[in-house]
Each structure stands twice: as C-alpha cells, then as structure tokens.
Amino acid sequence: MSSSAKSPPPGIGMSRRGFLKSMSVSAVATTLTTTVATGAATLATATRTAAHDDAPPQLIQGLTPLTLTVNGNDHTVLAEPRWTLLHVLRECLGITSPKPGCERGECGSCTVLVDGVARYACLMLALEAQGKSIETVEGLMHGEALGPVQQAFLEEDALQCGYCTPGQIMAAEALLRHQPDPTLEEIRVGMSGNLCRCGAYRHILTAVAAAAIKKKS
Amino acid sequence: MFEDFAYARPESVAQAAQLLQDETAHALAGGSDLLGCLRERIFPVKTIVSLSSLKELRGIARTAEGGLSLGALTTLAEVAGSTEVQTLYPGLAQAAAEVASPQLRNQGTLGGNLCQKTRCWYYRGDFDCLRKGGASCLAVHGENHLHCIFGGDACYMVHPSDTAPMLQALQATVWVAGPAGDRSLPLEQLFMPPAQDPTRETTLQPGELVTHIHLPPPMAGQQTSYRKVRARRSWDFALAGVALAVIIEDEIVTSCRMVLSGAAPFPWQATQAEALLTGAALTRERVRAAASAAMQGAEPLTHNAYKIELFKGIIQEELARLVRE
C-alpha cells in the first residue's frame, strides 16, 4: 500500500460522524449559555479568592465552565467535577477516538496524551486536565492524511475489530516520542498498558517498529 | 458515572489539610486508585481535594546530607526515570518501573502509591467486608490466593505497593503535613497493621497528607534491588516481591535489609533473614537458610501456601545475583 493517504473528495456532504459531532457540539453550546447565565462559580474565581487568605478554596459543585485544550484547540464546556476526561472528550466535545472499555484503568482503549505522556482518560477528572495539552488520534492527522503511527497500523494490519486501536496508537505515539528507536522489549513495555482482545499483538508490535522508521523518514 | 461530589483545588498544603479534616473528603493526587474506588463506590466521598496545584510537592531534590527528597506528587514514571534515583538507589528506580503500566506510572504518584487501598477483591467488590465496616474478613474462608501469609489479623489483605518495601529497605522517612503542622515518621510507621485498626490503611490522622519522602544518603558499597513476581508479566500487582539493600565487604555481608511485598498487609521486613545474613558470607547454604528464615512463621491461608516457595525462590535468586555482581 502506498504511504500517501488518499483524501476523500471534498464537498460530498456530511459524514455520519461529522453529523453526530455537530449535533453534540450544538447541544453543549445550548447548555453553556443557559447555565453560565445562572452564575455558576468558575474555577478561576474559586482559586483566586482562596489565594488571598488561608481559608479553603470555594467548593465546586455541579456544572462549571471548563476550558480544555485538545489537539491545539481550546474548547469551553460546562462539566461536573465527577465527569472524567474521557466523558467530556466524547460526550461534550464529540471527540470519539478515545474509547470507553473497562473504565478502570486496565484496558488502555481510552489512552490519550496529556502534556505529551500517555494517560488513561477514564481515570482522570476533566477538571484536572484544565491547562494541559490533550492529544487524541484526531490530532495525529495531517489534514486527511494519516500520521506515521496510524499509517503503520494500517499497513501492518495491526487490528481486527479496531476498538482498542486509537488507544494503541496513542500509546505507540507516546512511546516513540520518548524513545524514537525502541528495542522490541522497549516496545513490549511501552505497549503493555493496552489490551487487544482480538489478539493482534504480534502485528501491533510490528506496526510500532515500522512506525519508528516512518517517523524518522 | 461517579456519585456526585464537590471539588476543591487548594493553593497551599495548609488549605488542603484543612479540607481533608472532613472524613468524607479525599485527597486526589494521580487518581488511579481513588477514581477506581469512586467507580466501585467503596466508601462515601463528599469532597475531592485536588492536590494538583501544590507544585512544591512535586519533584526530586538532593538533601543537605546527600540523600534525596522525593515530593509525594512525583509520578512513578518520574521516579523510575530519574538519573539521581537510578544512580543512588537503583532498586527504587526498578520498583517504580515495575508498578502497573506506562499510563498508570505517568499518572500515579509516589505518595499515592504508599497510601493506596488494598486490591483485595472482597474489598473492591460488592462485599461487606471487615475493612468496609462489615462483620468479618471474607478472604479467610474464601478466595485467598492473593492474600497475606504474614501479619494478617482479622483482615488478610496484602499491601499493593511496590515502592513501599524498597523505601523501607532504604530506611526512608515520611514527611506529613496536617492541621497541627508538619511531622516526620519512619516509613514503616505509616502503615496501619490490621491488628490495630482493620478499617484504615495508614496511620495518617484526619487532615494529614504525605508531602515528601526523604532517603538517607546511600551507604558506601550499598547494593539495592527489587524483584517482583506477578501472575501476568505485562502488568499486575505483586504475588511476591523482595526489596534488598545490602552491603558486602570482602565477601561478608555487613548490612542487610530485606523487605517483602505481596506478603503482609504492610511491607514485611524479614528480620530473621537479615540477622542470619549479617556478618556472614553469601554461600549457597547461607542463602538457602536465609530464604527459609524469611518464611519462618508464615501462616498461609487455604489457597496461598504457594507463596512460601515463591518467596524462597526469589530471595535465593536475588541474593545469588548480588554475589555475581
């Protein structure tokens, strides 16, 4: 397969996923305007007040405005303290590449990069991600072209059902940024936080090795 | 979805301590343990106190004495990857690198690793066990393959930490901040034996939080190592593990600390083995005797007697490796 990705012809109309995304974004926008108007305390106000004396900072409860930087873009949403980063990415922002799997930090299908390192988005409160740089598979695209890790997964047939793949790709991306030239053992360790129930592990390891070469070229 | 809770992000340790005085307030460091507990609704959480603004609790610094001060919010990946830790206490870098998966090491903190709750499946599951205020420990007559062989009393959990046994072998001191100010304690006093209180994992008082872990400068010639055996190689908690800090001079062991993981509800110091090794040469016979001494007095439950042989094996292998090096 050629490594130059074929872009779909432009202007064919909205894809199913694009349609769903636009719906969820507009739903968020609606909530945002109504609830902000009711005067929910912002995180910034809460911490600023507290910094002046040693009284504990204001407690945040219920919906609160939250700005997340995802793939270089700032998104402001209303989020509850109990919402995970995974929940906000998928349900508020329509960024659906991080997948809910075990939702207990075991399977890795929700792996995203937080300030450049791989993390489980299911085990991170969205409020804790404020001010950090979040990256998902969507951010690895060059326009409509696949990034080198994605391309390597495609070429090496490193998936069957594909559900774990976005998490696998982000784990591989994090690994290769820190170890551009990993040994097979380093790849094994770097990918050890991601399960594939189809058992595509052999191809995944091959794909990560191939991606290392692609990233350098 | 978690039960509703309030969230606060204090700007100072004093503010955090104040908020944490409430029994239903819980400190959030990396969150890998706490969020798991929230999902399973193991204990009531009304307030989450995020420590993420407390930058002074992050990072690794040299102490005036030549040891290291490790901030409680330093991630396990940072501990494992620190050149200073790797140089001064290689066993601690090993132990941190053996915790969980890359993602969890990027998230989990050293302080959190010490203060985490047990992974006992009765505690984590929908069971009314003693630790959660129930009548008795369900592991005693239940599925106890992963439970303790030492130190059990009413509750038979094992402490899940890999770094704690290594830090104890290194004679670490824990610094704690609280409403009454700062205090320090030897690491082994951080853990609450179930014989004293089976419902608490640490001896921290309401409002207290771990701020730093101090390590004394390594003694001349000190060798350190951590060996961990788990059911699944890629990542899992320890079935059995051994942390060693040993000095060998002219083939004679002049100092030995051996602390086991996966053995007890707290890091288990194998004092009988330490005594047998100190002052002796590491001959094959002595190593074997030390491994047996480490397991002397073990009280296995119905399904975990295998741990005794497992411990003996890894203790012998690790001591033999020290001789080779």
Side-chain angles (χ1 to χ4, degrees), chain B residues 160-194:
Chain B
S161 175
D162 292 307
T163 59
M166 194 65 236
L167 289 170
Q168 187 167 326
L170 294 170
Q171 298 180 267
T173 302
V174 176
W175 280 88
V176 168
D182 296 350
R183 67 182 177 105
S184 70
L185 64 163
L187 179 94
E188 46 266 52
Q189 290 177 16
L190 177 67
F191 307 104
M192 179 67 80

Side-chain angles (χ1 to χ4, degrees), chain B residues 174-221:
Chain B
V174 176
W175 280 88
V176 168
D182 296 350
R183 67 182 177 105
S184 70
L185 64 163
L187 179 94
E188 46 266 52
Q189 290 177 16
L190 177 67
F191 307 104
M192 179 67 80
Q196 277 179 45
D197 186 347
T199 64
R200 293 166 65 198
E201 289 73 24
T202 71
T203 56
L204 295 176
Q205 298 298 308
E208 284 191 327
L209 65 155
V210 174
T211 59
H212 295 87
I213 293 97
H214 281 203
L215 288 169
M219 293 178 282

Side-chain angles (χ1 to χ4, degrees), chain B residues 17-104:
Chain B
Q18 200 173 335
L19 285 162
L20 287 168
Q21 287 183 72
D22 178 354
E23 219 174 73
T24 58
H26 287 262
L28 173 66
S32 52
D33 189 38
L34 180 58
L35 266 60
C37 291
L38 285 175
R39 189 165 297 287
E40 308 297 343
R41 292 164 162 71
I42 293 172
F43 42 78
V45 178
K46 294 271 172 59
T47 309
I48 293 267
V49 181
S50 165
L51 306 181
S52 56
S53 286
L54 307 179
K55 304 284 181 250
E56 66 270 35
L57 302 193
R58 260 194 104 145
I60 298 169
R62 281 271 190 165
T63 60
E65 301 80 48
L68 287 185
S69 171
L70 305 151
L73 295 184
T74 312
T75 66
L76 294 161
E78 288 163 351
V79 173
S82 152
T83 316
E84 283 186 307
V85 174
Q86 288 168 356
T87 310
L88 297 175
Y89 318 98
L92 179 59
Q94 278 176 340
E98 295 279 305
V99 179
S101 65
Q103 286 93 327
L104 290 170

Side-chain angles (χ1 to χ4, degrees), chain A residues 22 26 42 50 52 69 72 82 86 89 97 103 149 166 180 211:
Chain A
S22 69
S26 57
T42 70
H52 287 299
T69 308
R82 62 177 171 159
L86 177 64
L89 286 173
S97 73
E103 295 195 65
V149 181

Side-chain angles (χ1 to χ4, degrees), chain B residues 242-289:
Chain B
V242 55
L244 286 171
V246 177
I247 300 174
I248 303 172
E249 281 171 15
D250 300 329
E251 297 185 8
I252 302 295
V253 176
T254 57
S255 167
C256 174
R257 283 175 69 91
M258 182 190 293
V259 187
L260 308 180
S261 56
F266 39 87
W268 182 259
Q269 191 147 356
T271 48
Q272 284 161 307
E274 291 175 351
L276 203 64
L277 291 168
T278 307
L282 284 181
T283 60
R284 191 180 293 254
E285 294 70 30
R286 181 65 67 153
V287 163
R288 198 177 296 138

Side-chain angles (χ1 to χ4, degrees), chain A residues 193-206:
Chain A
N194 293 71
L195 299 180
C196 168
R197 291 297 78 170
C198 302
Y201 293 111
R202 279 177 64 112
H203 289 208
I204 290 170
L205 298 181
T206 313

